[in-house]
């Protein structure tokens, strides 16, 4: 056991609250440590002084007030939240406080929603973007048919502006 | 007057023929596409690459392409002016009828009359093939001359291009006099023919009027401008810096493919690190976006990948594979079969 831990157990040792093994260990330590011996002496004096003090009865209405608080219903989440706002000094202007909270929520939510929508839109557009860019690159291939390349690029362009050719045929 | 025009046209074709012969002789691969000997495949390929700089033309083209579970036939008036101006007027089907695309080699304008809308974007005709990649690419394909055939009254050389590994096989009918592809056909081993294009008529010229290839904004139209790519990144590290998130490189690439360039694609909420790999003939583009910024695209058929599920959108000529890999939303777009794109996807999961 370390010195610090032994020192913290001195009070319990004096009150006879330690197990036999722990008490023997503390006793052995006290025989070798002058500092802890002094601490034990100080604690013994303190216990004697406290033991000599007269006992006084608790105030008559103490239990009544404790019972009243125990019997009160728990405040709702909203009340606790308003209480927190009052603590922060915003309770006098609840509308302003609610607006501030709403702005914070919007600032958090908008990028999240926008990121998700962008991700979905990218998935929708991806294939047409890929096709268009590949066809532009492959126009350098020596045997590429330029009328066909123009057709594919043109169809991809229409898909990118939201007017796909196939949809037009189905109309 | 008519006699003078036909004389001019004859002179033009003579000049084009001479220019083609010069270009091919310079390459040293073949003397010419001239009328006597059957040219080599290399000479025909060189003539195809040189053609846009040598001759103007306007013609009617019919394209048939597999798009998902259906086949679509498109008719378009295609006009080309040297070196890199293009005008496309789509005639059918009804859903594209009236669409006009004018590309001056720098900017492309798309006019949709039914929506009274103009969409402006980067040119798709100004990119000459990368010479080094192109030369490398030839090594990954078996190119053979299958003979000559007449297409809309013109003699063509039939060139077949088969990839050494998987990918699109092509057959091209190349105008012997001009190097312009009059008919083309693309097929995959699994689906067969997925794309055909052929001119039903064509007129050559050296002087199509310039106003045909300049675009004037109609009054009162809705106008959009889409330039989605950033500056090109020199390598994966610079791309990562531009994107602002870590990107991965594939552990394996399809045979012959190598890194071509990278950029960051931005459109609204879409931000993707974009890398392009090419075998010199075809390209595959990889898009990477953190899953925190992009949900799961719902387009396409669900397929099983070694690392989980993916989705494939099959457009016949192009396929788009989307999948998720360790916190990244991935997409591969290119002409490769879905199985090959799936292997590429597996290569990304193998990298740390």
């Amino acid at each position: 056991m370390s010195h610090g831990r032994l020192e913290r157990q001195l009070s319990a040792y004096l009150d006879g609250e330690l197990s036999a093994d722990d008490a023997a260990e503390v006793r052995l330590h006290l025989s070798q440590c002058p500092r802890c011996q002094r601490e034990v002496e100080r604690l013994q004096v303190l216990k004697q002084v406290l033991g000599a003090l007269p006992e006084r009865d608790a105030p008559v209405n103490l239990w009544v007030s404790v019972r009243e608080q125990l019997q009160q219903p728990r405040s709702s989440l909203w009340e606790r939240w308003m209480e927190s706002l009052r603590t922060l000094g915003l309770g006098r202007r609840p509308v302003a406080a609610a607006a501030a909270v709403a702005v914070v929520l919007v600032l958090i939510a908008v990028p999240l929603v926008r990121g998700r929508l962008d991700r979905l839109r990218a998935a929708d557009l991806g294939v047409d973007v890929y096709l268009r860019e590949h066809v532009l690159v492959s126009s350098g291939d020596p045997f590429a048919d330029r009328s066909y390349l123009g057709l594919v690029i043109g169809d991809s362009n229409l898909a990118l502006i939201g007017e796909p050719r196939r949809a037009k045929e189905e109309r | 007057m008519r006699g003078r025009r036909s004389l001019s046209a004859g002179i033009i074709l003579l000049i084009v023929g001479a220019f083609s012969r010069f270009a091919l002789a310079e390459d040293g691969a073949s003397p010419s596409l001239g009328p006597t000997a059957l040219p080599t495949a290399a000479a025909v390929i060189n003539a195809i690459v040189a053609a846009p700089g040598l001759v103007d033309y306007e013609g009617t083209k019919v394209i048939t392409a597999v798009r998902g579970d259906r086949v679509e036939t498109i008719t378009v008036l295609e006009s080309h002016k040297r070196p890199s101006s293009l005008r496309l007027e789509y005639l059918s089907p009804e859903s594209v009828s009236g669409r006009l695309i004018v590309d001056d080699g720098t900017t492309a304008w798309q006019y949709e009359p039914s929506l009274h809308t103009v969409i402006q974007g980067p040119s798709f005709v100004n990119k000459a093939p990368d010479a080094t990649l192109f030369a490398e690419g030839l090594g990954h394909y078996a190119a053979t001359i299958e003979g000559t055939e007449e297409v809309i009254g013109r003699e063509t050389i039939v060139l077949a291009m088969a990839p050494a590994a998987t990918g699109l096989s092509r057959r091209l009918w190349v105008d012997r006099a001009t190097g312009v592809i009059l008919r083309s056909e693309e097929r995959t081993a699994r689906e067969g023919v997925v794309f055909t294009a052929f001119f039903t008529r064509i007129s050559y010229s050296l002087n199509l009027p310039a106003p045909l290839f300049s675009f004037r904004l109609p009054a009162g139209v809705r106008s959009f401008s889409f330039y989605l790519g950033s500056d090109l990144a020199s390598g994966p590290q610079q791309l990562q810096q531009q994107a602002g998130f870590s990107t991965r490189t594939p552990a394996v690439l399809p045979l012959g493919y190598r890194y071509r360039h990278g950029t960051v694609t931005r459109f609204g909420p879409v931000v993707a690190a974009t890398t392009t790999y090419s075998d010199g003939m075809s390209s595959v583009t990889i898009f990477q976006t953190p899953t925190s910024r992009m949900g799961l695209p719902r387009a396409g058929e669900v397929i099983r990948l070694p690392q989980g599920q993916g989705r494939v959108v099959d457009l016949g000529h192009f396929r788009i594979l989307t999948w998720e890999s360790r916190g990244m939303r991935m997409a591969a777009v290119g002409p490769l079969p879905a199985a090959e794109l799936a292997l590429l996807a597996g290569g990304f999961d193998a990298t740390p």
Side-chain angles (χ1 to χ4, degrees), chain A residues 3 6 11 18 23 31 39-40 42 52 55 61 65 75 84 90 99 101 121 125-126 128 134-135 138 155 162 171:
Chain A
H3 181 270
L6 284 163
S11 179
L18 292 181
S31 65
E39 180 64 16
V40 164
R42 195 181 67 78
E55 285 190 4
N61 58 353
S65 66
S75 57
S84 306
L90 294 170
V101 170
R121 193 161 166 257
L125 292 170
D128 290 306
H134 171 74
V135 172
S138 61
D155 287 352
R171 248 179 250 154

Side-chain angles (χ1 to χ4, degrees), chain A residues 137, chain B residues 229-245 247 249 259-266 272-277 286:
Chain A
V137 166
Chain B
S230 67
D231 292 339
L232 294 182
S234 59
Q237 281 190 336
Q238 196 187 359
L239 177 65
Q240 211 159 275
Q241 285 173 350
Q242 285 184 8
F245 51 80
T247 58
T249 50
Y259 179 83
R260 188 162 147 194
H261 58 69
T263 185
V264 178
T265 302
R266 292 176 202 276
T274 306
T275 42
T276 301
Y277 302 87
I286 305 292

Side-chain angles (χ1 to χ4, degrees), chain B residues 167-189:
Chain B
L168 284 173
S169 298
R170 292 184 175 89
R171 186 174 286 149
L172 308 167
W173 285 257
V174 183
D175 192 320
R176 189 161 200 160
T178 62
V180 172
I181 299 169
L182 296 182
R183 183 180 164 194
S184 67
E185 187 180 279
E186 295 178 356
R187 60 172 65 227
T188 64

Side-chain angles (χ1 to χ4, degrees), chain B residues 178-266:
Chain B
T178 62
V180 172
I181 299 169
L182 296 182
R183 183 180 164 194
S184 67
E185 187 180 279
E186 295 178 356
R187 60 172 65 227
T188 64
R190 193 173 156 214
E191 288 94 357
V193 175
V194 292
F195 179 88
T196 64
F198 61 92
F199 280 103
T200 55
R201 65 163 193 93
I202 192 165
S203 302
Y204 291 107
S205 164
L206 279 180
N207 196 23
L208 281 178
L212 265 181
F213 303 92
S214 63
F215 184 78
R216 287 185 184 175
L217 208 65
V221 291
R222 281 195 306 167
S223 180
F224 298 87
S225 182
F226 291 161
Y227 290 85
L228 313 188
S230 67
D231 292 339
L232 294 182
S234 59
Q237 281 190 336
Q238 196 187 359
L239 177 65
Q240 211 159 275
Q241 285 173 350
Q242 285 184 8
F245 51 80
S246 60
T247 58
R248 291 206 293 277
T249 50
V252 287
L253 284 170
L255 183 67
Y257 278 76
R258 68 180 176 87
Y259 179 83
R260 188 162 147 194
H261 58 69
T263 185
V264 178
T265 302
R266 292 176 202 276

Side-chain angles (χ1 to χ4, degrees), chain B:
Chain B
M1 188 72 177
R2 187 173 289 174
R4 206 181 301 164
R5 273 191 188 161
S6 58
L7 181 64
S8 304
I11 292 168
I12 287 162
L13 288 178
L14 278 174
I15 293 169
V16 168
F19 206 112
S20 303
R21 274 193 286 277
F22 172 73
L24 300 171
E26 195 177 46
D27 176 65
S30 170
S32 70
L33 299 185
T36 51
L38 208 57
T40 63
V44 176
I45 291 167
N46 279 334
I48 293 170
V49 174
L54 298 176
V55 65
D56 295 3
Y57 65 78
E58 64 91 17
T60 306
K61 185 184 264 184
V62 176
I63 298 168
T64 305
V66 176
R67 307 198 77 180
D69 56 354
R70 66 199 173 101
V71 177
E72 188 173 44
T73 301
I74 301 109
T75 312
V76 56
L77 292 179
E78 180 177 312
S79 307
H80 164 79
K81 185 174 177 62
R82 293 165 300 145
S84 55
S85 294
L86 182 70
R87 179 185 177 93
L88 302 169
E89 296 174 62
Y90 293 87
L91 306 177
S92 68
E94 193 185 345
S95 56
V96 289
S97 177
R99 176 183 296 178
L100 170 68
I101 293 179
V102 177
D103 191 320
D104 64 5
T106 307
T107 303
W109 289 270
Q110 174 187 354
Y111 176 50
E112 292 286 336
S114 61
L115 300 170
H116 206 42
T117 298
V118 170
I119 303 165
Q120 183 186 335
S123 166
F124 57 94
V125 295
N126 61 345
K127 300 171 189 75
D130 182 306
T132 315
L133 270 174
F134 186 53
E136 276 182 26
L138 286 174
H140 303 300
Y141 285 78
T144 51
I145 298 295
E146 295 188 338
T148 60
E149 271 184 35
E150 197 170 279
V151 175
I152 51 169
R154 300 189 66 84
E155 189 183 11
T156 63
I157 309 291
V158 185
L159 171 69
M161 303 276 294
T166 53
L168 284 173
S169 298
R170 292 184 175 89
R171 186 174 286 149
L172 308 167
W173 285 257
V174 183
D175 192 320
R176 189 161 200 160
T178 62
V180 172
I181 299 169
L182 296 182
R183 183 180 164 194
S184 67
E185 187 180 279
E186 295 178 356
R187 60 172 65 227
T188 64
R190 193 173 156 214
E191 288 94 357
V193 175
V194 292
F195 179 88
T196 64
F198 61 92
F199 280 103
T200 55
R201 65 163 193 93
I202 192 165
S203 302
Y204 291 107
S205 164
L206 279 180
N207 196 23
L208 281 178
L212 265 181
F213 303 92
S214 63
F215 184 78
R216 287 185 184 175
L217 208 65
V221 291
R222 281 195 306 167
S223 180
F224 298 87
S225 182
F226 291 161
Y227 290 85
L228 313 188
S230 67
D231 292 339
L232 294 182
S234 59
Q237 281 190 336
Q238 196 187 359
L239 177 65
Q240 211 159 275
Q241 285 173 350
Q242 285 184 8
F245 51 80
S246 60
T247 58
R248 291 206 293 277
T249 50
V252 287
L253 284 170
L255 183 67
Y257 278 76
R258 68 180 176 87
Y259 179 83
R260 188 162 147 194
H261 58 69
T263 185
V264 178
T265 302
R266 292 176 202 276
F267 180 79
V270 180
V271 179
T274 306
T275 42
T276 301
Y277 302 87
S278 174
D279 70 348
M281 298 288 171
S282 300
S283 303
V284 173
T285 311
I286 305 292
F287 298 87
Q288 303 182 49
T289 304
T291 50
S292 60
R293 295 191 188 183
M294 187 181 213
L296 187 67
R298 286 168 296 176
E301 297 289 320
V302 174
I303 65 160
R304 188 167 291 281
L305 299 171
Q307 64 272 32
Q309 276 190 349
R311 280 179 179 268
V312 174
V313 178
D314 195 338
L315 296 175
H317 182 81
F318 298 113
R319 279 167 206 82
I320 307 164
L321 172 67
T322 54
W323 76 102
E324 186 179 330
S325 169
R326 291 181 292 163
M328 297 297 278
R329 199 71 69 203
M330 312 284 291
V333 191
L336 295 174
E340 194 77 9
L341 291 177
L343 279 177
L344 187 63
F348 275 91
D349 275 355
T351 54

